[in-house]
Amino acid sequence: MVVTELQQRMQESFKDNVDEEYLMDCMRCGFCLPACPTYLVTNKDEIHSPRGRIALMKGMRDGDVVWDGSVEESFDMCLGCRACEPACPAGVQYGVLLEETRVAIEQVKTKSVVEKAVRKSTFDGVFADQKKMAGAVKLVQFYQKSGLQTVTRKIGFLNLFPPFMKEMEAVLPAIESKKKRATPSEPKTTTVAFFTGCLMDTLFQETNRKTIELLESLGVDVMIPKEQQCCGALHGHSGELEKGLRNARTNVDAFDSDSFDFIVNNAGGCGAFLSEYEKHLQSDTAYAEKTTRFSRKMIDISSLLVKLGLNERLKEIQVESKAIVTYQDSCHLRNVNKVFLEPRTLLQDAPGFEYKELIDAGSCCGSAGIYNILQPEMAKKILDLKMKGVKELQPAKVVTSNPGCLMQMQVGIQREGLEKEMQAVHIVDFLYDAIYKNQN
């Protein structure tokens, strides 16, 4: 094997960044294979399995594997859904290994001027400053409200773009101006701090508003720390972990208070990265204690709603008609935060609906952060598999717990021409409507 300068630098980067002990935890038993969407979609190609990728990581670290396009493709093709972790009897920390691998690659890989500019504007701009995110979303709002969207669609301008971009544009939520919070009159028994999220507080601000109203109706005093920023998950999944941890420290400082009982979030992807702040910052003496407090208070919205007794309130509402509702898991909510039963119990008790389990509900829908943008062909294949189960079940509502999953499922429904028969909705929007529409 000819050792080029790039090969040598890449090997050194893997040695510096990828933990050898974690690599050695893999017993190569293969229990992860049936859980891996890319392994299954690629006709069981080992290079696109967790076991195969760990072998490549070790080979790169040891200098036994030559860095080339096929190795890079294997790592790029990984969804990062972490379905392999619950399936692994040895407890391999695949999520850590994948993050470390992407950091190792990012530090050495040659980037074009355009890629450098995009990364800087994304990771140091929009996803590092909530004001910049809000500004970007205002441009989308102008596009929707000014009539420009109507004209753009009418003249077929979007046909000049790749099909997946046209599909994503079609499912963007209608962005409304923020409404002023009403002062709740119910007595408060619990205080929570709400992690509003960057996309959730801009593109999906109506879902955030309904989250607050639902909590307040259950006797919760909701606080919103103003200094919070994007959780940093996108940075961490894109080889920019240190920039993600910059956001993490900002958020830990913003939520470091004894004045609330829980820190609640309503986006599965954000929740997983937030819950792992403690792991990422445990060696930082200035933040180790703070992140421990942060992690102990972190809770997903569905878990908190169950804890607050929303199930009983749902049962009190009597509705005769029964439409089918099903649930598509957020990979990170299920595989990292282990939240599985709580959203299902809420849907089972929802008035006017009959809950039915979706085939392979725990398998990834193909969204995976920005995976459906970076890997549109593979994302489409994974979504097509998901939609087979949806079409077989024929639900009126497909409920999700993550904005990316929500938009991906909407794309799937639209692609199949099922918009008039079913709808993808966030679990908060679904529960809010189930309560308030049936009470009026």
Side-chain angles (χ1 to χ4, degrees), residues 6 9 40 48 80 82 99 108 114 167 173 201 211 237 253 256 261 314 329 347 377 381 403 418:
L6 175 60
R9 288 174 58 215
L40 298 174
H48 293 304
R82 295 170 67 170
E99 284 180 352
V108 175
V114 173
E167 291 173 337
D201 204 38
T211 299
H237 301 331
D253 285 335
D256 191 33
D261 306 297
L314 292 169
D329 285 284
L347 299 186
E377 290 185 18
K381 291 177 181 177
L418 299 171

Side-chain angles (χ1 to χ4, degrees), residues 198-250:
C198 50
L199 287 179
M200 291 303 299
D201 204 38
T202 49
L203 280 177
F204 297 92
Q205 58 187 261
E206 271 296 287
T207 303
N208 272 8
R209 180 184 67 80
K210 291 176 182 177
T211 299
I212 294 169
E213 287 192 23
L214 266 182
L215 290 173
E216 288 177 339
S217 73
L218 292 167
V220 175
D221 187 14
V222 181
M223 301 171 59
I224 303 178
K226 293 181 179 179
E227 298 80 10
Q228 61 181 293
Q229 298 290 348
C230 164
C231 68
L234 182 62
H235 305 73
H237 301 331
S238 303
E240 302 277 3
L241 183 59
E242 280 307 312
K243 293 179 180 179
L245 297 185
R246 169 198 61 197
N247 284 27
R249 291 183 179 92
T250 298

Side-chain angles (χ1 to χ4, degrees), residues 253-269:
D253 285 335
F255 287 86
D256 191 33
S257 170
D258 294 326
S259 58
F260 45 81
D261 306 297
F262 299 102
I263 302 170
V264 65
N265 74 88
N266 60 7

Side-chain angles (χ1 to χ4, degrees), residues 130-426:
Q130 191 68 355
K131 291 181 181 178
K132 291 180 180 178
M133 171 64 77
V137 172
K138 281 184 179 179
L139 292 176
V140 178
Q141 185 182 35
F142 174 79
Y143 168 72
Q144 293 177 337
K145 301 290 185 182
S146 65
L148 185 59
Q149 183 180 52
T150 302
V151 173
T152 300
R153 291 176 175 179
K154 196 170 185 179
I155 65 175
F157 181 71
L158 292 170
N159 293 330
L160 299 175
F161 294 88
F164 73 91
M165 290 187 67
K166 183 179 179 181
E167 291 173 337
M168 294 304 291
E169 187 273 347
V171 299
L172 280 173
I175 302 168
E176 306 294 339
S177 297
K178 276 194 174 182
K179 298 177 182 177
K180 189 176 180 181
R181 284 179 65 184
T183 303
S185 57
E186 295 84 355
K188 297 295 173 271
T189 58
T190 305
T191 302
V192 306
F194 182 25
F195 182 82
T196 57
C198 50
L199 287 179
M200 291 303 299
D201 204 38
T202 49
L203 280 177
F204 297 92
Q205 58 187 261
E206 271 296 287
T207 303
N208 272 8
R209 180 184 67 80
K210 291 176 182 177
T211 299
I212 294 169
E213 287 192 23
L214 266 182
L215 290 173
E216 288 177 339
S217 73
L218 292 167
V220 175
D221 187 14
V222 181
M223 301 171 59
I224 303 178
K226 293 181 179 179
E227 298 80 10
Q228 61 181 293
Q229 298 290 348
C230 164
C231 68
L234 182 62
H235 305 73
H237 301 331
S238 303
E240 302 277 3
L241 183 59
E242 280 307 312
K243 293 179 180 179
L245 297 185
R246 169 198 61 197
N247 284 27
R249 291 183 179 92
T250 298
N251 287 327
V252 168
D253 285 335
F255 287 86
D256 191 33
S257 170
D258 294 326
S259 58
F260 45 81
D261 306 297
F262 299 102
I263 302 170
V264 65
N265 74 88
N266 60 7
C270 297
F273 199 73
L274 290 167
S275 69
E276 295 192 325
Y277 278 4
E278 184 178 11
K279 177 185 70 180
H280 286 305
L281 296 175
Q282 61 185 346
S283 59
D284 187 332
T285 54
Y287 282 86
E289 201 173 308
K290 288 183 181 180
T291 53
T292 297
R293 291 196 294 269
F294 184 93
S295 296
R296 285 176 181 170
K297 291 185 178 182
M298 182 57 58
I299 191 168
D300 169 67
I301 184 62
S302 58
S303 301
L304 181 57
L305 291 174
V306 169
K307 191 181 287 287
L308 293 170
L310 182 61
N311 291 77
E312 296 308 312
R313 182 172 173 183
L314 292 169
K315 290 175 184 177
E316 291 172 358
I317 303 171
Q318 300 298 317
V319 180
E320 291 185 8
S321 61
K322 291 284 185 180
I324 295 174
V325 61
T326 194
Y327 182 69
Q328 166 60 30
D329 285 284
S330 156
C331 294
H332 288 91
L333 183 62
R334 177 171 177 149
N335 300 325
V336 180
N337 289 348
K338 313 303 181 189
V339 176
F340 170 82
L341 290 175
E342 293 88 341
R344 286 169 168 80
T345 66
L346 291 167
L347 299 186
Q348 286 164 0
D349 291 333
F353 289 91
E354 177 187 2
Y355 177 77
K356 289 190 177 181
E357 183 74 6
L358 180 64
I359 298 170
D360 291 329
S363 65
C364 187
C365 64
S367 171
I370 57 172
Y371 184 91
N372 52 358
I373 297 174
L374 300 177
Q375 300 288 337
E377 290 185 18
M378 180 57 72
K380 181 182 184 302
K381 291 177 181 177
I382 292 169
L383 180 57
D384 287 345
L385 281 178
K386 180 65 60 179
M387 290 307 298
K388 285 183 180 179
V390 172
K391 287 189 290 185
E392 184 174 323
L393 192 60
Q394 285 293 306
K397 304 284 186 182
V398 179
V399 177
T400 74
S401 299
N402 191 63
C405 304
L406 172 59
M407 293 182 70
Q408 182 77 343
M409 295 307 297
Q410 287 175 330
V411 166
I413 290 170
Q414 189 174 76
R415 190 181 288 164
E416 298 290 342
L418 299 171
E419 308 98 304
K420 294 181 180 179
E421 301 171 36
M422 63 183 69
Q423 181 185 17
V425 294
H426 190 283

